[in-house]
Amino acid sequence: MVDCRMSMSIPGRVAVAFAMAVGVAGFVPTEAPAQEISCGGTYQVRPGDTLSEIAVRAYGAGRFGPIFDANRNRVSSPQRLEVGVNLFIPCLDGRGQPLPRGVRPAGIGTQADATPEPQPEPEPEAPVEAAALSVSDAPTFRTAPNALSQAIIAQVPEGATVRLLAVNPQAPYVGYQLPEGGMLTEVVQRALYRSPVLLDFDVTYRGGNAIGDVSEGGFDLGFPVRRPNCEAETLSADAEAVCSAFFFSAPIYTTGISMYVTTTGDFSNAATAEDLRGARLCRPEGMSIDDLQASGLTSGVVSFVRARDIVECFLLLNNGDVGVVSVSPEDGKAALDLMPDTRRIKAINNIGRGQAVHVAAPRSGRLAQAYIEIINEGLAEMRSSGEYAAVVENHLAFSKLN
C-alpha cells in the first residue's frame, strides 16, 4: 500500500518527459510570447521548443501527432527534439487530418515553390455490416471504425481536454519520472493522438490502483486498470458494480504471470494449479487476484496473503512465511534484483494466466463512450502499423538497461 500518495498533474499532451532532455515536452517560460508558425513550411527547432508548444503555435492546440508523423525521419520520440532540426509543419484539413505537402486549406495561399504530391485514389468504402452497428465495452479490437462508433466520436467537441489518471506508478509501465511517462502512458497518448477530433489532455500520476479513484477524482479516463469478466453468468457484487459503472477499452497490455517458490519448499515441483492447494500465496496490496481465481486458485484452494510490495512478498517466501509469490516475470525480476540472496527462489511459468490491463471511463461521463471508442480505434491502428510493438519493445529494452 502506498502510504504517501504522489499526485502530479501536468497540462497538455506533454506530461511525461524527462526534465533534463533538450526539447522535453513541457512548456518553457519565455519573456515574450512566441510567434505563430505557418503550416505548409518548415520550422527550425530552438532551445526549449517542444512538439506540443510548436503545435499550439501552428494549429492553436497541442495536438502534435501530425507534426511527429510527418517528421519521423528526424524525430525519434515525441518528447525529444534536437535543437536546429528543421521540421515540416503539415497543414490540417477541417477534420484535423494532415494535408499533402504543398497543399493548404481553402482560403490560405499556397507556397509558390510547392507542388502537390500525387495521391493515390482512395479505395471505395466497404459497406457497413448490420451486425457491426453494435458497440460493446467488451475488450476486443476492431480492425476498422464502424458507422456507430464514428457517430459517437463525433459528439466530442474540437479541442476537448481529456483528464487522464495514471495509477500505480511502476516501471516500466507508469511513472512521471520514466521516459514518456512509462510504456502504458505512451500507448494511451499515442492512441489519443490518432483521434479524428482535435484533443488535448492532462495526465495525473497517483499511487494506488483503486478504480474508484478514476470517477472520484473527476477524471475522464484511468489506466492501467483490471477489468472483471463482465460477460460471466454470475458476478460478485463488487465486480457487478464495476462493470455497471465503467466502460473499458480493449487491453492496452497483457502481462505474463509467474509463480515463485523455494527450491526446498513444499511446492517446488508444482506443475498445475491443483499442485498449489493449501499454499499461502502472496500478492502485493492493490493487485487483483481475478486471474488467479480464473486459473482455479480460489480462496478455497489457496490462502491469500497481502504484502506492501513485491519485495516484501519475496522476503516472506524466503523466510518460509508463504509458499508462493505470484507476480509478472518483469516485476519479479526487478524485485529479486533488489534482494541480497535469491538462490533459494525459482520461477514456475506454466501456472496462471496473463493479466490484461485496460483504460476505464466512468459511464457517468457524457463523453465516456466516445473516449473509449477513440482509444480502441487508435490501438487498432497502432497494432496494425507496428507502432504498438515498437513502443513496448523500446520501454522493455530501456527497463533492462536501467
Side-chain angles (χ1 to χ4, degrees):
M1 179 69 68
V2 179
D3 295 324
C4 296
R5 290 190 137 188
M6 176 171 54
S7 178
M8 180 178 180
S9 182
I10 305 177
R13 294 181 166 274
V14 295
V16 294
F18 285 138
M20 66 186 77
V22 175
V24 292
F27 290 107
V28 176
T30 57
E31 296 182 358
Q35 296 181 350
E36 291 186 3
I37 297 174
S38 298
C39 70
T42 60
Y43 172 78
Q44 187 174 70
V45 176
R46 300 178 182 179
D49 277 344
T50 71
L51 279 182
S52 181
E53 188 267 347
I54 290 171
V56 169
R57 292 159 61 189
Y59 308 132
R63 181 178 181 264
F64 61 77
I67 300 177
F68 175 61
D69 288 338
N71 294 277
R72 287 180 179 271
N73 60 330
R74 302 179 183 89
V75 181
S76 60
S77 164
Q79 265 62 40
R80 296 176 183 274
L81 293 181
E82 293 185 11
V83 174
V85 170
N86 288 312
L87 301 178
F88 171 67
I89 311 298
C91 290
L92 305 181
D93 63 16
R95 299 179 63 250
Q97 299 300 311
L99 293 168
R101 187 181 292 267
V103 178
R104 296 191 177 192
I108 300 180
T110 304
Q111 292 176 308
D113 58 348
T115 303
E117 297 179 356
Q119 298 297 307
E121 290 294 327
E123 297 182 2
E125 294 186 2
V128 178
E129 300 278 343
L133 294 178
S134 62
V135 176
S136 169
D137 63 0
T140 56
F141 285 106
R142 282 189 303 276
T143 56
N146 60 42
L148 183 55
S149 69
Q150 292 304 290
I152 292 171
I153 292 173
Q155 301 176 56
V156 179
E158 292 286 334
T161 296
V162 186
R163 297 159 298 174
L164 299 170
L165 175 63
V167 296
N168 193 24
Q170 187 177 24
Y173 310 112
V174 169
Y176 76 92
Q177 79 284 7
L178 298 173
E180 329 302 341
M183 177 173 69
L184 300 184
T185 305
E186 182 173 4
V187 166
V188 173
Q189 288 185 331
R190 284 177 177 264
L192 289 172
Y193 296 157
R194 294 176 174 271
S195 167
V197 180
L198 288 171
L199 294 177
D200 202 350
F201 52 80
D202 295 342
V203 182
T204 297
Y205 298 88
R206 181 176 297 173
N209 62 355
I211 193 171
D213 289 349
V214 180
S215 54
E216 292 172 5
F219 295 97
D220 298 303
L221 299 172
F223 69 93
V225 297
R226 311 290 182 188
R227 177 185 184 274
N229 182 12
C230 299
E231 291 74 41
E233 292 184 5
T234 59
L235 291 172
S236 67
D238 290 343
E240 186 173 0
V242 169
C243 292
S244 62
F246 291 91
F247 290 111
F248 290 90
S249 73
I252 56 175
Y253 190 66
T254 300
T255 61
I257 290 296
S258 287
M259 302 292 177
Y260 293 87
V261 298
T262 58
T263 56
T264 57
D266 294 337
F267 308 99
S268 60
N269 295 318
T272 66
E274 183 61 27
D275 293 337
L276 298 180
R277 179 175 290 276
R280 286 169 55 81
L281 188 151
C282 185
R283 269 205 168 166
E285 291 180 352
M287 186 175 177
S288 171
I289 60 173
D290 289 346
D291 65 301
L292 297 177
Q293 294 176 330
S295 299
L297 295 172
T298 62
S299 56
V301 177
V302 298
S303 300
F304 293 107
V305 176
R306 292 293 192 176
R308 289 175 299 179
D309 53 37
I310 300 174
V311 172
E312 184 174 338
C313 273
F314 280 122
L315 291 174
L316 292 173
L317 179 63
N318 241 349
N319 294 335
D321 296 319
V322 300
V324 184
V325 172
S326 176
V327 293
S328 72
E330 298 89 353
D331 294 343
K333 180 183 183 303
L336 290 172
D337 286 343
L338 299 176
M339 299 180 60
D341 186 5
T342 60
R343 290 174 293 178
R344 296 179 58 245
I345 298 176
K346 72 172 187 177
I348 303 174
N349 295 313
N350 60 336
I351 301 177
R353 301 179 181 178
Q355 287 192 316
V357 290
H358 306 255
V359 178
R363 291 176 182 260
S364 58
R366 183 177 66 87
L367 300 174
Q369 192 170 4
Y371 289 146
I372 291 297
E373 291 297 320
I374 290 172
I375 291 287
N376 281 350
E377 291 185 3
L379 286 171
E381 290 180 19
M382 291 171 64
R383 294 261 187 181
S384 63
S385 69
E387 183 178 353
Y388 176 90
V391 170
V392 171
E393 182 180 353
N394 286 343
H395 282 272
L396 293 181
F398 178 85
S399 179
K400 290 179 181 178
L401 294 174
N402 294 271

